[in-house]
Amino acid sequence: MTIASNKTLCFICNEEKITHPCKGCSKEFCFKDLAEHKQILNDELDHIVNEYNEFEKTIDEQKQNPSNHLLMKKIDQWEINSIEKIKEKAQHWREVVLEYSPTLISDVEKKFNDLTEQIKQIREENEFNEINLSYLKNQLKKITDELNNPSSISLQQNSKLFINDISIFISNKPNLNKWEQTAITVAGGNGLGQQLNQLSSPYGIFIDKKRNIFIADYRNHRIVEWKYNARKGHIIAGGSGNGSRINQLNRPTDVLVDQQYYSIIITDHGNRRVIQWWNQYQQILIDNIDCWGLALDKNGYLYVSDWKKNEVRRWKMGEYNEGIVVAGGNGEGDQLNQLDFPTYIFVGEDESVYVTDLNNHRVMKWIKDAKEGRIIAGGHGQGRDLKQLYCPAGVIVDRWDQVYVADCGNHRIMRWCEGKEEGEIIVGGDGDGDQLNVPMGLSFDDKGNIYVTDRWNYRIEKFEIIL
């Protein structure tokens, strides 16, 4: 007879023995290994008791000193990290301000020097009144405010955050934009001719807010408007042949749109007059003037260059008497108070007049009421070097006072930063006239694209800005 066995495998020694179960882990142990298993459990219990005792001490410590709480330590670490980040950001913006500071001071110093020059002239002429003094006081206050609280650079804070984040916003730092070197033909480009899709020696140009293009079509004796993206233009002035009748033009050199009065103003060069057109109605604004270039300032004053008298005059719209000389007017010459064949002009926000001084191969800037100008581009004789110009034509100035010039004899468009001895080529300059051939007029649209009247290629070229 076989005796029934009550032996099973021990979980630890893995031998068949009489075993005893552990309810906690549901495993079987022999007597010897059961005692060892219980000792392990006792040791673990002792460890847990020690942890409880340690925790009890922690509670007692935090009762005594709540600042030792773990959350406090996390807050302390957050504070250290935040302060470090604030220091890093503050140092970064200090470096930005230090980098920009010379430009800011230079701009203020330039305005201050212009004011100083005006004071010098007033003293020399000994002609002044309360209006002059009030103007000088206001200008000094403006440049003082600009130095202490410059509009071009400011500290901005994000108050929505618990710790205010700061940043430096610079609105007047020169932006050295670049343009595509391959142009898009936006008007003409179909050879020399009189058809509505052709041009003949385009000169001055104007781009309105809708990017419509107004062109002084010199040898076709007309002003042509090309709507945005149009394949052909339409005649809005002249176009009735070369003549001196009120509805005719003779070699117009420049055009602008007076958007306040919805009219166009034209330098009717061959007829020695400045003429205004409203649709099919015309009136002569200024007669017996050897006009070339045009400009309107923010106050609605009209500026016209006279290439024979070597001067630029300003008129109040509707009051066309003798006008006021604002540049040149001291005979033909190359001195700072003279011009030699002034052509295109630009008027800045501060009413400074920029004029291309063709035969002196330079661009001059005349601040308001100045008796002489300042060379801001060229002025080193005719040539192709970066410090030279060759019969400059169209001129425009951006909001950073960077001057753009149609360097017509060198078939290129140049940018000059005021105070620099050299300019830089923006587009063109290949020398053979394929890209640009005697560029004349120059304009920006609202996106910063550059438009150029490419005279001997009989077209208007658009160079798109690279964003």
Side-chain angles (χ1 to χ4, degrees):
M1 172 180 237
T2 303
I3 300 174
S5 174
N6 62 351
K7 295 180 180 179
T8 57
L9 288 176
C10 174
F11 178 76
I12 294 179
C13 67
N14 202 27
E15 294 179 1
E16 282 197 345
K17 294 182 179 180
I18 297 174
T19 58
H20 307 274
C22 174
K23 292 184 178 180
C25 63
S26 301
K27 295 180 175 63
E28 298 284 337
F29 300 91
C30 67
F31 184 81
K32 176 186 175 184
D33 290 334
L34 178 62
E36 184 178 342
H37 179 62
K38 286 185 176 181
Q39 184 59 48
I40 291 172
L41 295 178
N42 284 328
D43 292 342
E44 189 170 346
L45 175 60
D46 291 338
H47 180 71
I48 291 172
V49 169
N50 289 335
E51 288 183 342
Y52 268 73
N53 291 334
E54 289 297 321
F55 185 74
E56 185 178 22
K57 290 180 181 178
T58 302
I59 292 175
D60 291 336
E61 287 176 2
Q62 291 193 8
K63 283 181 179 178
Q64 299 294 326
N65 190 356
S67 63
N68 286 338
H69 195 282
L70 180 60
L71 286 177
M72 288 295 191
K73 293 179 180 179
K74 289 183 178 180
I75 292 171
D76 291 342
Q77 190 59 51
W78 170 83
E79 181 183 32
I80 292 169
N81 294 341
S82 297
I83 290 172
E84 189 61 31
K85 289 179 180 178
I86 290 170
K87 286 181 177 179
E88 290 175 2
K89 179 157 281 193
Q91 183 59 30
H92 168 72
W93 291 123
R94 286 189 192 100
E95 290 171 1
V96 169
V97 172
L98 288 173
E99 180 186 354
Y100 183 67
S101 182
T103 301
L104 171 65
I105 294 172
S106 176
D107 291 344
V108 173
E109 188 176 35
K110 181 173 64 177
K111 294 176 182 177
F112 176 75
N113 290 339
D114 289 343
L115 275 177
T116 302
E117 184 62 28
Q118 292 180 54
I119 292 171
K120 179 182 175 183
Q121 291 173 6
I122 287 174
R123 283 194 176 279
E124 288 176 355
E125 295 171 2
N126 199 27
E127 288 186 5
F128 59 93
N129 54 32
E130 289 84 352
I131 296 175
N132 302 115
L133 297 180
S134 177
Y135 168 80
L136 292 174
K137 286 180 181 178
N138 288 336
Q139 292 303 307
L140 181 58
K141 183 179 183 302
K142 284 182 180 179
I143 62 175
T144 301
D145 290 342
E146 182 65 16
L147 182 62
N148 295 328
N149 299 292
S151 59
S152 58
I153 180 170
S154 60
L155 187 147
Q156 298 179 342
Q157 298 190 46
N158 186 348
S159 59
K160 293 181 180 180
L161 299 177
F162 177 68
I163 295 178
N164 290 345
D165 192 9
I166 65 170
S167 61
I168 297 296
F169 175 74
I170 298 175
S171 64
N172 206 32
K173 188 174 182 178
N175 191 5
L176 299 178
N177 293 322
K178 296 185 181 299
W179 288 265
E180 297 287 355
Q181 296 302 296
T182 302
I184 301 170
T185 300
V186 292
N190 296 295
L192 170 66
Q194 298 180 355
Q195 301 303 311
L196 291 179
N197 68 342
Q198 294 178 306
L199 297 169
S200 179
S201 192
Y203 271 47
I205 186 174
F206 184 92
I207 313 294
D208 71 8
K209 294 178 181 178
K210 297 180 180 178
R211 287 181 239 170
N212 301 318
I213 309 167
F214 298 79
I215 307 161
D217 195 6
Y218 182 80
R219 294 174 68 183
N220 279 329
H221 314 291
R222 66 189 185 186
I223 304 299
V224 183
E225 179 187 8
W226 287 62
K227 297 289 187 182
Y228 180 61
N229 282 340
R231 294 187 178 181
K232 63 181 181 179
H234 67 278
I235 300 168
I236 57 173
S240 302
N242 177 4
S244 59
R245 295 197 308 270
I246 190 68
N247 67 339
Q248 290 181 305
L249 297 173
N250 183 356
R251 294 172 292 150
T253 52
D254 206 4
V255 57
L256 61 80
V257 178
D258 180 1
Q259 299 183 71
Q260 181 179 357
Y261 295 100
Y262 305 103
S263 67
I264 62 170
I265 301 173
I266 307 159
T267 45
D268 191 8
H269 169 72
N271 285 320
R272 301 183 63 247
R273 65 190 182 187
V274 177
I275 192 166
Q276 186 176 35
W277 285 58
W278 295 274
N279 296 320
Q280 297 304 311
Y281 299 96
Q282 309 88 27
Q283 73 166 339
I284 297 171
L285 301 182
I286 308 167
D287 208 354
N288 298 317
I289 179 173
D290 293 293
C291 51
W292 194 284
L294 286 171
L296 275 175
D297 69 16
K298 62 182 180 182
N299 299 313
Y301 285 86
L302 179 66
Y303 298 71
V304 185
S305 61
D306 187 320
W307 64 275
K308 274 193 176 180
K309 289 184 178 179
N310 296 293
E311 66 184 19
V312 177
R313 285 182 182 261
R314 180 182 69 214
W315 282 267
K316 184 176 181 180
M317 290 292 281
E319 297 180 10
Y320 299 104
N321 38 42
E322 290 299 313
I324 299 171
V325 176
V326 293
N330 296 293
E332 176 186 314
D334 61 2
Q335 301 301 305
L336 293 180
N337 67 343
Q338 294 179 305
L339 298 169
D340 187 355
F341 207 122
T343 55
Y344 292 97
I345 51 181
F346 180 92
V347 180
E349 283 291 312
D350 61 353
E351 299 177 53
S352 291
V353 177
Y354 300 79
V355 53
T356 47
D357 193 9
L358 186 99
N359 286 341
N360 284 323
H361 311 288
R362 65 189 185 184
V363 178
M364 302 290 289
K365 176 183 179 181
W366 292 63
I367 64 172
K368 185 179 180 181
D369 299 327
K371 299 301 180 183
E372 63 180 33
R374 186 166 67 242
I375 301 170
I376 56 172
H380 296 280
Q382 173 187 322
R384 291 181 56 83
D385 289 345
L386 292 180
K387 66 179 181 179
Q388 294 178 302
L389 295 171
Y390 179 9
C391 294
V395 58
I396 48 178
V397 182
D398 67 17
R399 65 191 182 96
W400 297 288
D401 289 334
Q402 295 175 129
V403 180
Y404 296 78
V405 188
D407 191 10
C408 144
N410 286 320
H411 315 296
R412 65 191 184 186
I413 307 301
M414 297 195 72
R415 172 169 58 198
W416 292 68
C417 298
E418 193 165 349
K420 295 291 183 67
E421 281 292 313
E422 291 186 347
E424 60 177 318
I425 300 171
I426 298 302
V427 293
D430 54 11
D432 56 15
D434 287 341
Q435 188 178 21
L436 292 174
N437 193 345
V438 188
M440 294 291 290
L442 198 58
S443 185
F444 283 125
D445 66 15
D446 59 344
K447 300 295 184 182
N449 303 310
I450 292 180
Y451 295 72
V452 184
T453 52
D454 191 7
R455 181 182 178 188
W456 293 124
N457 285 323
Y458 316 113
R459 64 191 181 186
I460 308 302
E461 297 286 77
K462 174 185 175 182
F463 293 89
E464 294 191 327
I465 191 168
I466 300 173
L467 299 176

